Amino acid sequence: MEALNKISFLLGVLLLFSMAVALANAKTCYHDFVVQTTKVNRLCNTHNTITVNGQFPGPTLEVNNGDTLVINVANRAHENVTIHWHGIRQLRTGWADGPEFVTQCPIRPGGSYTYRFTIQGQEGTLWWHAHSSWLRATVYGALVIHPKEGASYPFPKPKRETPILLGEWWDANPLDVVRESTRTGGAPNISDAYTINGQPGDLYNCSSKDTVIVPIDLGETHLLRVINAALNQELFFSVANHTFTVVGADASYLKPFTTSVIMLGPGQTTDVLISGNQPPARYYMAARAYQSGQGAPFDNTTTTAILEYKSAPCPAKGILSNPVMPALPAFNDTATVTAFTQSLRSPNKVEVPSDIDENLFFTVGLGLFNCPSNFPSSRCQGPNGTRFASSMNNVSFVLPSNFSILQAHRQGVPGVFTTDFPGNPPVQFDYTGNVSRSLWQPILGTKVYKLKYGSRVQLVLQGTNIQTAENHPIHIHGYDFYILATGFGNFNPQKDTAKLNLVDPPMRNTVGVPVNGWAVIRFLADNPGAWLMHCHLDVHITWGLAMVFLVEDGVGELQSVEPPPADLPPC
Ligand SMILES: *[C@@H]1O[C@H](CO)[C@@H](O)[C@H](O)[C@H]1NC(C)=O
Ligand SMILES: *[C@@H]1O[C@H](CO)[C@@H](O)[C@H](O)[C@H]1NC(C)=O
Ligand SMILES: *[C@@H]1O[C@H](CO)[C@@H](O)[C@H](O)[C@H]1NC(C)=O
Ligand SMILES: *[C@@H]1O[C@H](CO)[C@@H](O)[C@H](O)[C@H]1NC(C)=O
Ligand SMILES: *[C@@H]1O[C@H](CO)[C@@H](O)[C@H](O)[C@H]1NC(C)=O
Ligand SMILES: *[C@@H]1O[C@H](CO)[C@@H](O)[C@H](O)[C@H]1NC(C)=O
Ligand SMILES: *[C@@H]1O[C@H](CO)[C@@H](O)[C@H](O)[C@H]1NC(C)=O
Ligand SMILES: *[C@@H]1O[C@H](CO)[C@@H](O)[C@H](O)[C@H]1NC(C)=O
Ligand SMILES: *[C@@H]1O[C@H](CO)[C@@H](O)[C@H](O)[C@H]1NC(C)=O
Ligand SMILES: *[C@@H]1O[C@H](CO)[C@@H](O)[C@H](O)[C@H]1NC(C)=O
Ligand SMILES: [Cu+2]
């Protein structure tokens, strides 16, 4: 007994010591981001492309949990820009979150702004991207958070780690694509390619010589940090003849499980281990669409990179120079998506918020606006002379244009937003049935939902069958949340409450709400600020699939938003 006590005492001392070392090692990392126009050649054409530091994708930021990041962003492009640090909690530092007109006004051409924030308790893969119009099509990069110095992964240390950024490319200026659709009211043009680390790969014209090659050694374990940075498409991802051990998602660890395919919605990340346990050769890693909505056109191309055993025969020699192609699920394979997402579990029992203070129910889905009487028909190119819309609880979100919501909230500026976002659908209907056409047109508004500091929130996200039912990847800024359950049809509190996983639900920052289905999430509102919640398909956020949680300050400085930085851009 005494010996045991002694051991646990020593272990405690060791733990405290290593924590002290870790704290002492927390560092500040400085970076300069220059947003600029760069010539980028893809699919046989060269485009003036907005990039960071002339790189596409942009620089990978590597930090340790506990570090502080200071990133000076100078805008030398001809467009307004902001940068969002996707998935970073931004505890009390909402001014550094980035969505334009929500937490800051845009950085104008010639202007600059310094983002400062500390990583607190997050480990794994996140990313950064522009949060202004559709600039994130080309302005994005990986943000890798290693464990604190001296700490280790909850899995054997991989020999190598590679960020795999899945992107989406238009053989056009993406800002022209969104501007055209905003003008016409119709659907924006679909993309021409997907990319892996900026390159479309062998299956596209003029692309094969630049295909990305990821090396692997026989016997090695390799961590792939897969990020879906595409604008408008959920994607399947596989590597030929290799299985994945999934170990994390959205910078939270998971109970490891194996699968041959993963699905990521835009905004989501998944960390997977692969083993160099196959005959030395070249194998394709490939991504293509998961398209849950029926009838809508989508980019059905396939992007590839090559996993190459370093001991593989030279590419010029023999049959092995042709990489093996993985089998990818059918575009509409919702069953595979469901099987994958239902395999995600936290590694251990977690403390899920209970004694819920806020029981919220938000519908998420599309809609149509009737053509305004002063619009010519050229501006109503949606179905039957309408304009496409999107909403949560029937409110199609409109960004302010003269203040950010956070600024207006802090400075008490009236007329920028209203606080009447409904906590429940204003009209109840059979959400996933044959919805009467009279319910399809939402209202416009800049409505926020106020949350008291520390409230325990349960939110049911209910997909609708209005216009087209589809899977919506819903992202919340400033928070990670537990996903307690997902299902199909209308959420039924009597029947479905029993399905909630209160033991080991996964923690994420983006949840795919199943097509014609629902998701139940919970979080503790412990981060004051103005936090955008939106569909991460940019086409849907453009149509209004967003709202803002305004989380009030609690008691004292440590429960309050920090004062705004002096260089916060004015509107
Ligand atoms: C969208 O596609 C149409 C049809 O291919 C084309 O005429 C138009 O120029 C495209 N728009 C943009 C902005 O690329
Ligand atoms: C490649 O170019 C050829 C000839 O211009 C064209 O027929 C084909 O559709 C292109 N393929 C792709 C995938 O763009
Ligand atoms: C990959 O797997 C397929 C199907 O199992 C098999 O036929 C093929 O030989 C494998 N390729 C290599 C290079 O191992
Ligand atoms: C992709 O879509 C095009 C146009 O609808 C079609 O012709 C082609 O067969 C499709 N390709 C695949 C792989 O489904
Ligand atoms: C998926 O699409 C195929 C045709 O490509 C169709 O036969 C099948 O019924 C569809 N499955 C679902 C679940 O919609
Ligand atoms: C458009 O009009 C046609 C013919 O009137 C009708 O069948 C269809 O349901 C309408 N679609 C929408 C989206 O209103
Ligand atoms: C901001 O813009 C809104 C909408 O255009 C307007 O109603 C409001 O008065 C403006 N507020 C200020 C302070 O300029
Ligand atoms: C949906 O309802 C409308 C009228 O409310 C009806 O015309 C239409 O046939 C129904 N569609 C289906 C698929 O049941
Ligand atoms: C949304 O609000 C509009 C305007 O009040 C109404 O016509 C429509 O039926 C509502 N739809 C839903 C789903 O609440
Ligand atoms: C840039 O943002 C400012 C507000 O800060 C706005 O007035 C201006 O119209 C925007 N410019 C463009 C090109 O969107
Ligand atoms: Cu969506």
Side-chain angles (χ1 to χ4, degrees):
M1 194 64 202
E2 204 171 292
L4 259 180
N5 276 340
K6 233 180 210 162
I7 288 173
S8 65
F9 173 77
L10 282 175
L11 278 177
V13 169
L14 197 66
L15 188 73
L16 280 177
F17 177 75
S18 56
M19 275 165 68
V21 167
L23 276 179
N25 283 344
K27 58 190 182 300
T28 303
C29 317
Y30 296 86
H31 294 274
D32 284 311
F33 273 23
V34 178
V35 179
Q36 61 190 80
T37 304
T38 311
K39 290 207 184 305
V40 175
N41 188 297
R42 294 291 183 278
L43 307 180
C44 325
N45 293 311
T46 300
H47 291 282
N48 288 321
T49 303
I50 301 187
T51 65
V52 165
N53 300 349
Q55 289 169 247
F56 173 67
T60 296
L61 303 182
E62 289 207 48
V63 297
N64 293 94
N65 183 2
D67 287 353
T68 295
L69 273 161
V70 178
I71 303 137
N72 180 261
V73 178
N75 185 1
R76 292 204 200 124
H78 299 288
E79 302 288 347
N80 286 340
V81 73
T82 65
I83 305 287
H84 168 53
W85 316 93
H86 183 110
I88 298 284
R89 292 241 20 225
Q90 300 290 3
L91 289 158
R92 303 180 48 228
T93 52
W95 304 109
D97 190 40
E100 71 173 355
F101 300 116
V102 178
T103 59
Q104 69 165 101
C105 295
I107 309 170
R108 300 209 205 182
S112 68
Y113 178 46
T114 301
Y115 293 85
R116 285 168 203 273
F117 54 89
T118 299
I119 317 278
Q120 297 185 55
Q122 298 185 289
E123 290 178 17
T125 305
L126 293 174
W127 58 301
W128 55 266
H129 62 78
H131 215 299
S132 174
S133 184
W134 277 20
L135 277 181
R136 78 171 180 84
T138 58
V139 177
Y140 64 85
L143 202 172
V144 172
I145 311 171
H146 297 286
K148 290 189 177 182
E149 261 169 64
S152 51
Y153 296 125
F155 45 83
K157 189 171 162 46
K159 177 161 178 231
R160 249 188 283 238
E161 306 186 0
T162 307
I164 301 287
L165 290 123
L166 309 177
E168 194 168 2
W169 182 260
W170 276 261
D171 196 12
N173 177 349
L175 297 190
D176 290 342
V177 174
V178 65
R179 283 175 193 138
E180 181 179 68
S181 73
T182 302
R183 194 173 60 247
T184 65
N189 286 359
I190 59 170
S191 53
D192 298 290
Y194 301 107
T195 54
I196 294 179
N197 293 349
Q199 291 295 343
D202 292 358
L203 309 186
Y204 299 88
N205 286 336
C206 311
S207 301
S208 43
K209 74 171 175 28
D210 297 315
T211 298
V212 168
I213 292 180
V214 177
I216 192 166
D217 278 322
L218 201 56
E220 97 174 38
T221 302
H222 196 130
L223 175 63
L224 301 180
R225 300 173 174 276
V226 190
I227 299 166
N228 186 345
L231 246 76
N232 294 327
Q233 195 64 55
E234 297 175 317
L235 295 167
F236 289 115
F237 177 76
S238 257
V239 178
N241 294 36
H242 290 73
T243 55
F244 300 135
T245 302
V246 178
V247 292
D250 297 4
S252 290
Y253 293 117
L254 292 170
K255 198 168 285 172
F257 68 96
T258 57
T259 176
S260 59
V261 62
I262 62 174
M263 196 288 285
L264 304 95
Q268 294 185 318
T269 73
T270 307
D271 287 357
V272 300
L273 299 172
I274 55 170
S275 296
N277 57 7
Q278 292 300 304
R282 308 171 88 214
Y283 300 86
Y284 277 126
M285 46 178 78
R288 73 169 190 179
Y290 163 51
Q291 175 69 13
S292 58
Q294 291 191 353
F298 66 99
D299 177 348
N300 63 8
T301 62
T302 304
T303 180
T304 54
I306 296 169
L307 181 73
E308 184 173 279
Y309 279 72
K310 293 217 303 189
S311 45
C314 287
K317 269 192 255 158
I319 187 95
L320 285 179
S321 63
N322 288 328
V324 185
M325 189 69 192
L328 284 158
F331 295 119
N332 62 358
D333 191 349
T334 294
T336 290
V337 173
T338 307
F340 171 66
T341 53
Q342 304 218 333
S343 304
L344 309 191
R345 294 267 188 285
S346 281
N348 300 301
K349 185 174 175 354
V350 293
E351 226 172 280
V352 181
S354 56
D355 304 315
I356 296 302
D357 303 301
E358 294 273 1
N359 228 313
L360 305 176
F361 188 107
F362 294 178
T363 60
V364 296
L366 303 189
L368 294 176
F369 285 122
N370 296 328
C371 196
S373 55
N374 58 338
F375 275 27
S377 62
S378 61
R379 297 207 56 195
C380 297
Q381 300 288 305
N384 290 359
T386 59
R387 291 174 62 82
F388 273 107
S390 201
S391 66
M392 286 192 182
N393 272 353
N394 205 36
V395 184
S396 185
F397 186 73
V398 181
L399 284 171
S401 55
N402 47 12
F403 271 96
S404 77
I405 290 176
L406 187 56
Q407 263 177 308
H409 169 57
R410 306 298 297 182
Q411 298 166 14
V413 181
V416 176
F417 61 85
T418 58
T419 56
D420 55 347
F421 186 88
N424 285 282
V427 178
Q428 288 182 19
F429 55 100
D430 177 4
Y431 308 109
T432 54
N434 181 9
V435 184
S436 159
R437 180 68 179 82
S438 66
L439 294 170
W440 287 23
Q441 173 160 278
I443 60 163
L444 291 166
T446 307
K447 297 181 187 293
V448 308
Y449 191 89
K450 274 199 173 179
L451 291 172
K452 285 217 158 40
Y453 182 92
S455 27
R456 289 152 296 194
V457 182
Q458 171 169 301
L459 171 56
V460 177
L461 292 160
Q462 173 68 61
T464 75
N465 196 24
I466 293 176
Q467 217 280 312
T468 309
E470 57 184 284
N471 182 307
H472 297 279
I474 303 293
H475 171 52
I476 308 189
H477 289 232
Y479 285 89
D480 283 326
F481 48 79
Y482 288 114
I483 303 173
L484 304 194
T486 55
F488 293 96
N490 300 336
F491 178 74
N492 176 337
Q494 273 77 49
K495 199 168 99 266
D496 293 326
T497 302
K499 295 178 187 156
L500 304 187
N501 176 359
L502 299 167
V503 179
D504 59 358
M507 181 178 255
R508 301 200 77 153
N509 61 50
T510 305
V511 57
V513 178
V515 48
N516 247 337
W518 49 266
V520 180
I521 65 172
R522 284 192 192 175
F523 61 95
L524 175 69
D526 60 356
N527 189 14
W531 306 110
L532 188 64
M533 175 167 83
H534 63 96
C535 180
H536 219 284
L537 303 175
D538 274 25
V539 53
H540 292 173
I541 187 175
T542 305
W543 291 340
L545 220 173
M547 58 79 68
V548 166
F549 281 117
L550 200 62
V551 181
E552 293 172 338
D553 283 348
V555 179
E557 196 186 325
L558 292 180
Q559 297 185 357
S560 303
V561 182
E562 289 180 1
D567 63 343
L568 189 69
C571 270

